[in-house]
Structure formats: structure tokens, C-alpha cells
Amino acid sequence: MTVRQSVSPAPRFDEAFRARLEQLFHWRRDVRRFRSDPVPAELVDKLIFLASLAPSVGNSQPWRFVKVKDPTRRRQIWQKFRDCNAEALGDYAGARAKLYATLKLAGLEEAPVHMAVFVDHGTKLGKGLGRRTMPEMLPYSVVAAINSLWLAARAEGIGVGWVSILEPQEIAGILEVPSDWSLIGYLCIGYPQEEHEDPELERHGWQKRVNYKELVIER
């Protein structure tokens, strides 16, 4: 069998580009405070296109993007967040509970764009390659796509917030997606009200970011 090869000159990234790329990583933030300005539809589509360039196990491309535009569905998801957040507050006590109650943990009311990102467990793409011993590689691939979208959005001056205080199966039901899809991330997307290099949870006293060296071991 003859394998066709696509050959093109690889780009060369200079030091200035690498420095800007590092800036992009530093300034990638989880945004919860959005302006109401609409995000152009073509820009949203561009972000999805760039996210779809992410690597995926066996070239399976298991990400499924759902643009949530219906006001009724949005209100239902907002209420589910409120319910889950109230339950989560009960996991804390004392000063930590008081601090939790002050945190803004989602921009669901303000963000002009809501997007749910699912993994399609039933995809035939990839033909199972690379998943026999690590089936979780399908959702991991979707996480890679979300991270790509996040960075691409930041480069466009767009903020992204990942809302995790939700019950995935309930969101799948509200959005009426196929039964073999599982929610990986519910994203709020829009222009940020304010921009900070430091994470909001660090700025508001919840948790400082540790030095990366503390998270590396050698064997």
C-alpha cells in the first residue's frame, strides 16, 4: 500500500514568538466576569476550528461542541449550577465556608456565549487505536481540545470560564444529546470585564499556585 505524504516547509518560530507564546500561557485565565458585548459568530467558529486541531488518540477526534443558545436551556443550566453550588458549600465549615460563599465561580448569567463540550464514546473514528488499555484517552483528547480553544480565545482577547459545578448527566439531559455523549466541559465565553495575570482564586485568598518544581519527581 502506498502512503501519500504531504510535505511542506515547517515554520520557524523565533525567540520573539516564543516569548509571546509564554506570555499567552501566563495570561490564560479562568474568566468568571464578562461584558455583555456579543462575540462574533465567525470568531466562535474560528475558535472551534482551532480547538479541533488538537491531538486525539488514534485520530479519533471525539470532541462534540454544542452551542447553547436557547434561553430556557440556559436558565435551566444556571439553576442546576445554583443547586450544585449550594450543595458544595455544605462541604466546608467556618472561615472556609464563609470565603467559599463570597467567590464568583461562574459567569453563566453574563457570558454571551455558552458552549458545552462532550466526548462521543461511540465514535467510530480512530477504530479503537490506543484505547484498549487506556479508554480514558477519549475524554483526555477532548480536554486537549478545550485547552487549545482556551489559548486561542485568549489570543483573540476573549475570556473562557470552565464551569465544573454541574451534574454532567443533568446537563446532557437538558441539551438532549445522544446517550453515548458525556459532558467534559461547560464553557462560558466572552470579553472579560477585567484582566489579571494571577488566578482569581489566588487573588481572592482561596489557594495560591505552587511552584511547578514541587509537582515534579524523578525515578
Side-chain angles (χ1 to χ4, degrees), residues 30 62-68 77 108 113-120 139-147 149-150 160-169 171-172 175 177 181-189:
D30 192 326
W63 38 75
R64 305 292 181 263
F65 298 92
V66 178
K67 299 175 181 177
V68 185
I77 290 168
L108 290 163
V113 177
H114 286 206
M115 186 183 299
V117 189
F118 291 83
V119 58
D120 180 0
Y140 290 171
S141 298
V142 179
V143 172
I146 291 175
N147 191 58
L149 184 148
W150 214 329
V160 176
W162 186 329
V163 184
S164 62
I165 307 175
L166 293 168
E167 288 288 352
Q169 290 183 341
I171 303 307
L175 298 179
V177 299
W181 291 17
S182 297
L183 182 72
I184 299 299
Y186 194 91
L187 308 180
C188 296
I189 301 173

mmCIF file of all heavy atoms in Angstrom, residues 30 62-68 77 108 113-120 139-147 149-150 160-169 171-172 175 177 181-189:
data_model
loop_
_atom_site.group_PDB
_atom_site.id
_atom_site.type_symbol
_atom_site.label_atom_id
_atom_site.label_comp_id
_atom_site.label_asym_id
_atom_site.label_seq_id
_atom_site.Cartn_x
_atom_site.Cartn_y
_atom_site.Cartn_z
ATOM 1 N N ASP A 30 -9.002 31.600 33.908
ATOM 2 C CA ASP A 30 -10.384 31.140 34.004
ATOM 3 C C ASP A 30 -11.231 32.361 34.334
ATOM 4 O O ASP A 30 -11.155 32.904 35.434
ATOM 5 C CB ASP A 30 -10.496 30.085 35.109
ATOM 6 C CG ASP A 30 -11.822 29.347 35.086
ATOM 7 O OD1 ASP A 30 -12.834 29.984 34.743
ATOM 8 O OD2 ASP A 30 -11.849 28.162 35.431
ATOM 9 N N PRO A 62 -12.833 12.959 19.144
ATOM 10 C CA PRO A 62 -14.090 12.615 19.824
ATOM 11 C C PRO A 62 -14.836 13.815 20.400
ATOM 12 O O PRO A 62 -15.868 13.638 21.046
ATOM 13 C CB PRO A 62 -13.610 11.694 20.950
ATOM 14 C CG PRO A 62 -12.263 12.254 21.311
ATOM 15 C CD PRO A 62 -11.660 12.705 19.999
ATOM 16 N N TRP A 63 -14.342 15.029 20.174
ATOM 17 C CA TRP A 63 -14.998 16.212 20.736
ATOM 18 C C TRP A 63 -16.269 16.534 19.976
ATOM 19 O O TRP A 63 -16.353 16.424 18.756
ATOM 20 C CB TRP A 63 -14.038 17.401 20.714
ATOM 21 C CG TRP A 63 -13.182 17.457 19.480
ATOM 22 C CD1 TRP A 63 -13.551 17.826 18.215
ATOM 23 C CD2 TRP A 63 -11.802 17.092 19.377
ATOM 24 N NE1 TRP A 63 -12.491 17.734 17.344
ATOM 25 C CE2 TRP A 63 -11.407 17.287 18.020
ATOM 26 C CE3 TRP A 63 -10.852 16.634 20.303
ATOM 27 C CZ2 TRP A 63 -10.111 17.031 17.592
ATOM 28 C CZ3 TRP A 63 -9.568 16.383 19.873
ATOM 29 C CH2 TRP A 63 -9.204 16.576 18.515
ATOM 30 N N ARG A 64 -17.276 16.946 20.719
ATOM 31 C CA ARG A 64 -18.553 17.384 20.147
ATOM 32 C C ARG A 64 -18.925 18.706 20.827
ATOM 33 O O ARG A 64 -19.077 18.756 22.050
ATOM 34 C CB ARG A 64 -19.657 16.336 20.365
ATOM 35 C CG ARG A 64 -19.306 14.941 19.829
ATOM 36 C CD ARG A 64 -19.242 14.904 18.308
ATOM 37 N NE ARG A 64 -18.932 13.563 17.799
ATOM 38 C CZ ARG A 64 -17.726 13.141 17.454
ATOM 39 N NH1 ARG A 64 -16.679 13.959 17.573
ATOM 40 N NH2 ARG A 64 -17.555 11.919 16.997
ATOM 41 N N PHE A 65 -19.053 19.756 20.039
ATOM 42 C CA PHE A 65 -19.312 21.096 20.564
ATOM 43 C C PHE A 65 -20.796 21.430 20.417
ATOM 44 O O PHE A 65 -21.361 21.305 19.331
ATOM 45 C CB PHE A 65 -18.476 22.135 19.807
ATOM 46 C CG PHE A 65 -16.988 21.930 19.940
ATOM 47 C CD1 PHE A 65 -16.289 21.171 19.005
ATOM 48 C CD2 PHE A 65 -16.294 22.487 20.998
ATOM 49 C CE1 PHE A 65 -14.920 20.980 19.114
ATOM 50 C CE2 PHE A 65 -14.918 22.307 21.127
ATOM 51 C CZ PHE A 65 -14.238 21.545 20.184
ATOM 52 N N VAL A 66 -21.414 21.850 21.503
ATOM 53 C CA VAL A 66 -22.826 22.234 21.486
ATOM 54 C C VAL A 66 -22.925 23.711 21.855
ATOM 55 O O VAL A 66 -22.596 24.103 22.977
ATOM 56 C CB VAL A 66 -23.655 21.387 22.477
ATOM 57 C CG1 VAL A 66 -25.122 21.840 22.463
ATOM 58 C CG2 VAL A 66 -23.540 19.898 22.141
ATOM 59 N N LYS A 67 -23.355 24.535 20.897
ATOM 60 C CA LYS A 67 -23.587 25.951 21.168
ATOM 61 C C LYS A 67 -24.952 26.071 21.847
ATOM 62 O O LYS A 67 -25.981 25.742 21.258
ATOM 63 C CB LYS A 67 -23.576 26.755 19.873
ATOM 64 C CG LYS A 67 -22.264 26.700 19.109
ATOM 65 C CD LYS A 67 -22.396 27.442 17.774
ATOM 66 C CE LYS A 67 -21.126 27.391 16.963
ATOM 67 N NZ LYS A 67 -21.288 28.064 15.643
ATOM 68 N N VAL A 68 -24.958 26.539 23.074
ATOM 69 C CA VAL A 68 -26.197 26.612 23.848
ATOM 70 C C VAL A 68 -26.768 28.021 23.715
ATOM 71 O O VAL A 68 -26.320 28.956 24.378
ATOM 72 C CB VAL A 68 -25.953 26.255 25.326
ATOM 73 C CG1 VAL A 68 -27.277 26.211 26.086
ATOM 74 C CG2 VAL A 68 -25.220 24.919 25.442
ATOM 75 N N ILE A 77 -29.728 25.436 33.090
ATOM 76 C CA ILE A 77 -28.341 25.133 33.457
ATOM 77 C C ILE A 77 -27.880 26.052 34.585
ATOM 78 O O ILE A 77 -27.200 25.622 35.522
ATOM 79 C CB ILE A 77 -27.434 25.234 32.219
ATOM 80 C CG1 ILE A 77 -27.762 24.071 31.268
ATOM 81 C CG2 ILE A 77 -25.953 25.222 32.600
ATOM 82 C CD1 ILE A 77 -27.163 24.190 29.900
ATOM 83 N N LEU A 108 -22.209 32.383 34.192
ATOM 84 C CA LEU A 108 -23.333 31.884 33.392
ATOM 85 C C LEU A 108 -24.368 32.959 33.073
ATOM 86 O O LEU A 108 -24.993 32.923 32.019
ATOM 87 C CB LEU A 108 -24.013 30.726 34.136
ATOM 88 C CG LEU A 108 -23.199 29.425 34.211
ATOM 89 C CD1 LEU A 108 -23.751 28.516 35.293
ATOM 90 C CD2 LEU A 108 -23.204 28.721 32.869
ATOM 91 N N VAL A 113 -21.729 33.793 25.276
ATOM 92 C CA VAL A 113 -21.635 32.501 24.602
ATOM 93 C C VAL A 113 -21.539 31.388 25.644
ATOM 94 O O VAL A 113 -20.711 31.446 26.553
ATOM 95 C CB VAL A 113 -20.406 32.436 23.666
ATOM 96 C CG1 VAL A 113 -20.284 31.055 23.023
ATOM 97 C CG2 VAL A 113 -20.474 33.524 22.605
ATOM 98 N N HIS A 114 -22.428 30.409 25.525
ATOM 99 C CA HIS A 114 -22.347 29.179 26.311
ATOM 100 C C HIS A 114 -22.023 28.046 25.351
ATOM 101 O O HIS A 114 -22.638 27.932 24.281
ATOM 102 C CB HIS A 114 -23.679 28.872 26.993
ATOM 103 C CG HIS A 114 -24.003 29.751 28.158
ATOM 104 N ND1 HIS A 114 -24.828 29.349 29.186
ATOM 105 C CD2 HIS A 114 -23.621 31.014 28.466
ATOM 106 C CE1 HIS A 114 -24.957 30.322 30.067
ATOM 107 N NE2 HIS A 114 -24.236 31.352 29.645
ATOM 108 N N MET A 115 -21.083 27.210 25.747
ATOM 109 C CA MET A 115 -20.724 26.077 24.892
ATOM 110 C C MET A 115 -20.463 24.855 25.758
ATOM 111 O O MET A 115 -19.650 24.910 26.689
ATOM 112 C CB MET A 115 -19.477 26.402 24.062
ATOM 113 C CG MET A 115 -19.114 25.329 23.051
ATOM 114 S SD MET A 115 -17.584 25.738 22.172
ATOM 115 C CE MET A 115 -18.050 27.285 21.371
ATOM 116 N N ALA A 116 -21.171 23.782 25.479
ATOM 117 C CA ALA A 116 -20.942 22.516 26.159
ATOM 118 C C ALA A 116 -20.084 21.634 25.259
ATOM 119 O O ALA A 116 -20.357 21.513 24.064
ATOM 120 C CB ALA A 116 -22.262 21.829 26.480
ATOM 121 N N VAL A 117 -19.057 21.037 25.829
ATOM 122 C CA VAL A 117 -18.153 20.192 25.052
ATOM 123 C C VAL A 117 -18.254 18.764 25.591
ATOM 124 O O VAL A 117 -18.029 18.522 26.779
ATOM 125 C CB VAL A 117 -16.703 20.694 25.125
ATOM 126 C CG1 VAL A 117 -15.833 19.932 24.120
ATOM 127 C CG2 VAL A 117 -16.628 22.196 24.852
ATOM 128 N N PHE A 118 -18.612 17.854 24.707
ATOM 129 C CA PHE A 118 -18.830 16.463 25.081
ATOM 130 C C PHE A 118 -17.783 15.562 24.437
ATOM 131 O O PHE A 118 -17.172 15.912 23.427
ATOM 132 C CB PHE A 118 -20.213 16.000 24.596
ATOM 133 C CG PHE A 118 -21.365 16.635 25.321
ATOM 134 C CD1 PHE A 118 -21.833 17.891 24.938
ATOM 135 C CD2 PHE A 118 -21.984 15.981 26.379
ATOM 136 C CE1 PHE A 118 -22.902 18.475 25.595
ATOM 137 C CE2 PHE A 118 -23.061 16.563 27.036
ATOM 138 C CZ PHE A 118 -23.527 17.809 26.656
ATOM 139 N N VAL A 119 -17.630 14.375 25.023
ATOM 140 C CA VAL A 119 -16.875 13.302 24.385
ATOM 141 C C VAL A 119 -17.882 12.309 23.826
ATOM 142 O O VAL A 119 -18.861 11.951 24.491
ATOM 143 C CB VAL A 119 -15.906 12.614 25.369
ATOM 144 C CG1 VAL A 119 -16.617 12.044 26.586
ATOM 145 C CG2 VAL A 119 -15.116 11.524 24.649
ATOM 146 N N ASP A 120 -17.656 11.877 22.608
ATOM 147 C CA ASP A 120 -18.515 10.885 21.961
ATOM 148 C C ASP A 120 -17.876 9.509 22.157
ATOM 149 O O ASP A 120 -16.951 9.126 21.439
ATOM 150 C CB ASP A 120 -18.650 11.215 20.471
ATOM 151 C CG ASP A 120 -19.534 10.225 19.725
ATOM 152 O OD1 ASP A 120 -20.048 9.282 20.366
ATOM 153 O OD2 ASP A 120 -19.697 10.383 18.504
ATOM 154 N N PRO A 139 -11.788 10.969 26.557
ATOM 155 C CA PRO A 139 -12.040 12.251 27.226
ATOM 156 C C PRO A 139 -10.793 13.111 27.372
ATOM 157 O O PRO A 139 -10.879 14.340 27.314
ATOM 158 C CB PRO A 139 -12.623 11.856 28.590
ATOM 159 C CG PRO A 139 -12.395 10.396 28.739
ATOM 160 C CD PRO A 139 -12.268 9.834 27.376
ATOM 161 N N TYR A 140 -9.618 12.482 27.556
ATOM 162 C CA TYR A 140 -8.387 13.278 27.632
ATOM 163 C C TYR A 140 -8.180 14.069 26.340
ATOM 164 O O TYR A 140 -7.710 15.204 26.363
ATOM 165 C CB TYR A 140 -7.167 12.381 27.868
ATOM 166 C CG TYR A 140 -7.082 11.752 29.243
ATOM 167 C CD1 TYR A 140 -6.128 10.780 29.520
ATOM 168 C CD2 TYR A 140 -7.960 12.101 30.263
ATOM 169 C CE1 TYR A 140 -6.037 10.181 30.774
ATOM 170 C CE2 TYR A 140 -7.871 11.509 31.517
ATOM 171 C CZ TYR A 140 -6.912 10.552 31.768
ATOM 172 O OH TYR A 140 -6.819 9.963 33.002
ATOM 173 N N SER A 141 -8.519 13.463 25.215
ATOM 174 C CA SER A 141 -8.382 14.150 23.926
ATOM 175 C C SER A 141 -9.282 15.382 23.877
ATOM 176 O O SER A 141 -8.902 16.428 23.332
ATOM 177 C CB SER A 141 -8.726 13.192 22.784
ATOM 178 O OG SER A 141 -7.845 12.085 22.749
ATOM 179 N N VAL A 142 -10.486 15.266 24.441
ATOM 180 C CA VAL A 142 -11.402 16.409 24.460
ATOM 181 C C VAL A 142 -10.855 17.519 25.356
ATOM 182 O O VAL A 142 -10.966 18.706 25.038
ATOM 183 C CB VAL A 142 -12.801 15.966 24.915
ATOM 184 C CG1 VAL A 142 -13.754 17.156 24.958
ATOM 185 C CG2 VAL A 142 -13.351 14.900 23.978
ATOM 186 N N VAL A 143 -10.237 17.138 26.464
ATOM 187 C CA VAL A 143 -9.608 18.142 27.335
ATOM 188 C C VAL A 143 -8.526 18.904 26.571
ATOM 189 O O VAL A 143 -8.397 20.129 26.703
ATOM 190 C CB VAL A 143 -9.016 17.479 28.595
ATOM 191 C CG1 VAL A 143 -8.196 18.477 29.401
ATOM 192 C CG2 VAL A 143 -10.126 16.897 29.463
ATOM 193 N N ALA A 144 -7.746 18.193 25.759
ATOM 194 C CA ALA A 144 -6.719 18.854 24.954
ATOM 195 C C ALA A 144 -7.347 19.864 23.998
ATOM 196 O O ALA A 144 -6.811 20.960 23.779
ATOM 197 C CB ALA A 144 -5.902 17.816 24.177
ATOM 198 N N ALA A 145 -8.489 19.517 23.420
ATOM 199 C CA ALA A 145 -9.176 20.438 22.505
ATOM 200 C C ALA A 145 -9.674 21.675 23.254
ATOM 201 O O ALA A 145 -9.574 22.800 22.757
ATOM 202 C CB ALA A 145 -10.336 19.725 21.815
ATOM 203 N N ILE A 146 -10.195 21.476 24.465
ATOM 204 C CA ILE A 146 -10.675 22.613 25.252
ATOM 205 C C ILE A 146 -9.519 23.542 25.600
ATOM 206 O O ILE A 146 -9.643 24.771 25.521
ATOM 207 C CB ILE A 146 -11.392 22.117 26.523
ATOM 208 C CG1 ILE A 146 -12.703 21.425 26.154
ATOM 209 C CG2 ILE A 146 -11.653 23.280 27.478
ATOM 210 C CD1 ILE A 146 -13.417 20.784 27.342
ATOM 211 N N ASN A 147 -8.386 22.966 25.962
ATOM 212 C CA ASN A 147 -7.233 23.807 26.287
ATOM 213 C C ASN A 147 -6.770 24.588 25.060
ATOM 214 O O ASN A 147 -6.392 25.762 25.169
ATOM 215 C CB ASN A 147 -6.089 22.953 26.824
ATOM 216 C CG ASN A 147 -4.982 23.802 27.415
ATOM 217 O OD1 ASN A 147 -5.204 24.580 28.328
ATOM 218 N ND2 ASN A 147 -3.773 23.658 26.880
ATOM 219 N N LEU A 149 -8.699 25.584 22.602
ATOM 220 C CA LEU A 149 -9.691 26.655 22.428
ATOM 221 C C LEU A 149 -9.430 27.796 23.410
ATOM 222 O O LEU A 149 -9.519 28.969 23.049
ATOM 223 C CB LEU A 149 -11.101 26.079 22.618
ATOM 224 C CG LEU A 149 -12.280 27.036 22.381
ATOM 225 C CD1 LEU A 149 -13.479 26.263 21.825
ATOM 226 C CD2 LEU A 149 -12.697 27.781 23.645
ATOM 227 N N TRP A 150 -9.093 27.437 24.631
ATOM 228 C CA TRP A 150 -8.841 28.430 25.688
ATOM 229 C C TRP A 150 -7.706 29.367 25.298
ATOM 230 O O TRP A 150 -7.813 30.589 25.412
ATOM 231 C CB TRP A 150 -8.480 27.676 26.961
ATOM 232 C CG TRP A 150 -8.939 28.289 28.247
ATOM 233 C CD1 TRP A 150 -9.109 29.617 28.533
ATOM 234 C CD2 TRP A 150 -9.285 27.583 29.436
ATOM 235 N NE1 TRP A 150 -9.523 29.780 29.821
ATOM 236 C CE2 TRP A 150 -9.643 28.543 30.398
ATOM 237 C CE3 TRP A 150 -9.301 26.241 29.791
ATOM 238 C CZ2 TRP A 150 -10.022 28.206 31.701
ATOM 239 C CZ3 TRP A 150 -9.681 25.906 31.076
ATOM 240 C CH2 TRP A 150 -10.040 26.867 32.014
ATOM 241 N N VAL A 160 -12.471 32.751 28.695
ATOM 242 C CA VAL A 160 -13.179 31.474 28.800
ATOM 243 C C VAL A 160 -13.236 31.085 30.269
ATOM 244 O O VAL A 160 -12.248 31.198 30.997
ATOM 245 C CB VAL A 160 -12.468 30.361 27.993
ATOM 246 C CG1 VAL A 160 -13.161 29.008 28.200
ATOM 247 C CG2 VAL A 160 -12.433 30.715 26.513
ATOM 248 N N GLY A 161 -14.398 30.636 30.710
ATOM 249 C CA GLY A 161 -14.551 30.090 32.052
ATOM 250 C C GLY A 161 -15.093 28.675 31.965
ATOM 251 O O GLY A 161 -16.058 28.416 31.241
ATOM 252 N N TRP A 162 -14.467 27.753 32.675
ATOM 253 C CA TRP A 162 -14.873 26.348 32.660
ATOM 254 C C TRP A 162 -15.704 26.096 33.915
ATOM 255 O O TRP A 162 -15.204 26.153 35.033
ATOM 256 C CB TRP A 162 -13.628 25.468 32.639
ATOM 257 C CG TRP A 162 -13.866 23.989 32.477
ATOM 258 C CD1 TRP A 162 -14.931 23.260 32.897
ATOM 259 C CD2 TRP A 162 -12.981 23.057 31.838
ATOM 260 N NE1 TRP A 162 -14.782 21.941 32.573
ATOM 261 C CE2 TRP A 162 -13.598 21.787 31.924
ATOM 262 C CE3 TRP A 162 -11.741 23.174 31.224
ATOM 263 C CZ2 TRP A 162 -12.989 20.632 31.410
ATOM 264 C CZ3 TRP A 162 -11.144 22.029 30.712
ATOM 265 C CH2 TRP A 162 -11.767 20.773 30.803
ATOM 266 N N VAL A 163 -16.989 25.808 33.742
ATOM 267 C CA VAL A 163 -17.896 25.606 34.873
ATOM 268 C C VAL A 163 -17.954 24.112 35.188
ATOM 269 O O VAL A 163 -18.449 23.315 34.389
ATOM 270 C CB VAL A 163 -19.313 26.129 34.556
ATOM 271 C CG1 VAL A 163 -20.208 25.999 35.785
ATOM 272 C CG2 VAL A 163 -19.256 27.571 34.084
ATOM 273 N N SER A 164 -17.460 23.736 36.353
ATOM 274 C CA SER A 164 -17.436 22.319 36.736
ATOM 275 C C SER A 164 -18.442 21.995 37.837
ATOM 276 O O SER A 164 -18.604 20.828 38.190
ATOM 277 C CB SER A 164 -16.025 21.922 37.198
ATOM 278 O OG SER A 164 -15.660 22.671 38.344
ATOM 279 N N ILE A 165 -19.116 23.005 38.376
ATOM 280 C CA ILE A 165 -20.063 22.762 39.471
ATOM 281 C C ILE A 165 -21.429 22.469 38.859
ATOM 282 O O ILE A 165 -22.396 23.237 38.964
ATOM 283 C CB ILE A 165 -20.085 23.960 40.440
ATOM 284 C CG1 ILE A 165 -18.649 24.285 40.892
ATOM 285 C CG2 ILE A 165 -20.951 23.670 41.660
ATOM 286 C CD1 ILE A 165 -18.533 25.528 41.745
ATOM 287 N N LEU A 166 -21.495 21.339 38.173
ATOM 288 C CA LEU A 166 -22.684 20.893 37.461
ATOM 289 C C LEU A 166 -22.715 19.365 37.481
ATOM 290 O O LEU A 166 -21.670 18.723 37.593
ATOM 291 C CB LEU A 166 -22.645 21.366 35.994
ATOM 292 C CG LEU A 166 -22.749 22.864 35.716
ATOM 293 C CD1 LEU A 166 -22.387 23.151 34.265
ATOM 294 C CD2 LEU A 166 -24.143 23.394 36.036
ATOM 295 N N GLU A 167 -23.919 18.792 37.367
ATOM 296 C CA GLU A 167 -24.057 17.347 37.229
ATOM 297 C C GLU A 167 -24.060 17.021 35.728
ATOM 298 O O GLU A 167 -25.000 17.395 35.014
ATOM 299 C CB GLU A 167 -25.352 16.863 37.871
ATOM 300 C CG GLU A 167 -25.349 16.907 39.396
ATOM 301 C CD GLU A 167 -24.460 15.847 40.012
ATOM 302 O OE1 GLU A 167 -23.968 14.969 39.259
ATOM 303 O OE2 GLU A 167 -24.249 15.883 41.225
ATOM 304 N N PRO A 168 -23.031 16.340 35.236
ATOM 305 C CA PRO A 168 -22.913 16.111 33.790
ATOM 306 C C PRO A 168 -24.136 15.466 33.159
ATOM 307 O O PRO A 168 -24.556 15.869 32.065
ATOM 308 C CB PRO A 168 -21.682 15.204 33.684
ATOM 309 C CG PRO A 168 -20.868 15.523 34.897
ATOM 310 C CD PRO A 168 -21.870 15.801 35.975
ATOM 311 N N GLN A 169 -24.724 14.468 33.815
ATOM 312 C CA GLN A 169 -25.862 13.778 33.203
ATOM 313 C C GLN A 169 -27.073 14.710 33.093
ATOM 314 O O GLN A 169 -27.845 14.624 32.133
ATOM 315 C CB GLN A 169 -26.211 12.526 34.010
ATOM 316 C CG GLN A 169 -25.161 11.430 33.895
ATOM 317 C CD GLN A 169 -25.550 10.161 34.627
ATOM 318 O OE1 GLN A 169 -26.416 10.178 35.507
ATOM 319 N NE2 GLN A 169 -24.922 9.063 34.278
ATOM 320 N N ILE A 171 -26.958 17.944 32.630
ATOM 321 C CA ILE A 171 -26.699 18.862 31.512
ATOM 322 C C ILE A 171 -26.934 18.149 30.182
ATOM 323 O O ILE A 171 -27.521 18.710 29.252
ATOM 324 C CB ILE A 171 -25.266 19.419 31.588
ATOM 325 C CG1 ILE A 171 -25.032 20.120 32.937
ATOM 326 C CG2 ILE A 171 -25.002 20.374 30.427
ATOM 327 C CD1 ILE A 171 -26.057 21.172 33.286
ATOM 328 N N ALA A 172 -26.501 16.907 30.095
ATOM 329 C CA ALA A 172 -26.741 16.132 28.876
ATOM 330 C C ALA A 172 -28.236 16.006 28.600
ATOM 331 O O ALA A 172 -28.687 16.081 27.454
ATOM 332 C CB ALA A 172 -26.096 14.755 28.994
ATOM 333 N N LEU A 175 -29.714 19.339 27.325
ATOM 334 C CA LEU A 175 -29.297 19.629 25.952
ATOM 335 C C LEU A 175 -29.712 18.534 24.971
ATOM 336 O O LEU A 175 -29.489 18.685 23.760
ATOM 337 C CB LEU A 175 -27.778 19.843 25.906
ATOM 338 C CG LEU A 175 -27.279 21.028 26.748
ATOM 339 C CD1 LEU A 175 -25.766 21.144 26.666
ATOM 340 C CD2 LEU A 175 -27.932 22.322 26.300
ATOM 341 N N VAL A 177 -28.635 15.510 24.129
ATOM 342 C CA VAL A 177 -27.584 14.971 23.261
ATOM 343 C C VAL A 177 -27.672 13.446 23.247
ATOM 344 O O VAL A 177 -28.342 12.845 24.093
ATOM 345 C CB VAL A 177 -26.190 15.432 23.742
ATOM 346 C CG1 VAL A 177 -26.078 16.948 23.694
ATOM 347 C CG2 VAL A 177 -25.888 14.914 25.147
ATOM 348 N N TRP A 181 -22.819 10.315 24.584
ATOM 349 C CA TRP A 181 -22.001 11.508 24.788
ATOM 350 C C TRP A 181 -21.931 11.802 26.280
ATOM 351 O O TRP A 181 -22.935 11.688 26.994
ATOM 352 C CB TRP A 181 -22.606 12.723 24.098
ATOM 353 C CG TRP A 181 -22.571 12.708 22.604
ATOM 354 C CD1 TRP A 181 -22.360 11.658 21.777
ATOM 355 C CD2 TRP A 181 -22.798 13.848 21.762
ATOM 356 N NE1 TRP A 181 -22.424 12.045 20.469
ATOM 357 C CE2 TRP A 181 -22.699 13.383 20.426
ATOM 358 C CE3 TRP A 181 -23.071 15.186 22.004
ATOM 359 C CZ2 TRP A 181 -22.856 14.241 19.337
ATOM 360 C CZ3 TRP A 181 -23.238 16.044 20.928
ATOM 361 C CH2 TRP A 181 -23.121 15.566 19.610
ATOM 362 N N SER A 182 -20.755 12.207 26.768
ATOM 363 C CA SER A 182 -20.573 12.599 28.165
ATOM 364 C C SER A 182 -19.995 14.007 28.227
ATOM 365 O O SER A 182 -19.073 14.337 27.468
ATOM 366 C CB SER A 182 -19.627 11.634 28.889
ATOM 367 O OG SER A 182 -20.171 10.333 28.932
ATOM 368 N N LEU A 183 -20.506 14.803 29.144
ATOM 369 C CA LEU A 183 -20.024 16.174 29.284
ATOM 370 C C LEU A 183 -18.598 16.190 29.825
ATOM 371 O O LEU A 183 -18.300 15.551 30.830
ATOM 372 C CB LEU A 183 -20.933 16.969 30.220
ATOM 373 C CG LEU A 183 -20.551 18.438 30.419
ATOM 374 C CD1 LEU A 183 -20.847 19.253 29.162
ATOM 375 C CD2 LEU A 183 -21.275 19.039 31.625
ATOM 376 N N ILE A 184 -17.741 16.937 29.161
ATOM 377 C CA ILE A 184 -16.382 17.162 29.647
ATOM 378 C C ILE A 184 -16.255 18.578 30.207
ATOM 379 O O ILE A 184 -15.699 18.783 31.279
ATOM 380 C CB ILE A 184 -15.347 16.945 28.522
ATOM 381 C CG1 ILE A 184 -15.411 15.503 28.010
ATOM 382 C CG2 ILE A 184 -13.932 17.270 29.027
ATOM 383 C CD1 ILE A 184 -15.099 14.454 29.057
ATOM 384 N N GLY A 185 -16.779 19.567 29.496
ATOM 385 C CA GLY A 185 -16.665 20.938 29.979
ATOM 386 C C GLY A 185 -17.828 21.795 29.532
ATOM 387 O O GLY A 185 -18.280 21.684 28.380
ATOM 388 N N TYR A 186 -18.335 22.613 30.464
ATOM 389 C CA TYR A 186 -19.333 23.618 30.098
ATOM 390 C C TYR A 186 -18.622 24.959 30.161
ATOM 391 O O TYR A 186 -18.127 25.368 31.219
ATOM 392 C CB TYR A 186 -20.533 23.593 31.047
ATOM 393 C CG TYR A 186 -21.715 24.363 30.505
ATOM 394 C CD1 TYR A 186 -22.678 23.722 29.732
ATOM 395 C CD2 TYR A 186 -21.845 25.726 30.715
ATOM 396 C CE1 TYR A 186 -23.753 24.418 29.192
ATOM 397 C CE2 TYR A 186 -22.909 26.432 30.182
ATOM 398 C CZ TYR A 186 -23.863 25.784 29.422
ATOM 399 O OH TYR A 186 -24.916 26.482 28.885
ATOM 400 N N LEU A 187 -18.552 25.647 29.018
ATOM 401 C CA LEU A 187 -17.720 26.837 28.893
ATOM 402 C C LEU A 187 -18.565 28.098 28.770
ATOM 403 O O LEU A 187 -19.545 28.141 28.029
ATOM 404 C CB LEU A 187 -16.814 26.720 27.664
ATOM 405 C CG LEU A 187 -15.963 25.451 27.541
ATOM 406 C CD1 LEU A 187 -15.132 25.506 26.265
ATOM 407 C CD2 LEU A 187 -15.087 25.242 28.758
ATOM 408 N N CYS A 188 -18.156 29.125 29.502
ATOM 409 C CA CYS A 188 -18.675 30.480 29.322
ATOM 410 C C CYS A 188 -17.627 31.257 28.531
ATOM 411 O O CYS A 188 -16.434 31.225 28.880
ATOM 412 C CB CYS A 188 -18.904 31.153 30.674
ATOM 413 S SG CYS A 188 -20.154 30.354 31.680
ATOM 414 N N ILE A 189 -18.050 31.946 27.491
ATOM 415 C CA ILE A 189 -17.113 32.609 26.585
ATOM 416 C C ILE A 189 -17.579 34.033 26.328
ATOM 417 O O ILE A 189 -18.762 34.275 26.066
ATOM 418 C CB ILE A 189 -17.014 31.839 25.251
ATOM 419 C CG1 ILE A 189 -16.547 30.398 25.504
ATOM 420 C CG2 ILE A 189 -16.067 32.544 24.275
ATOM 421 C CD1 ILE A 189 -16.571 29.509 24.268
#
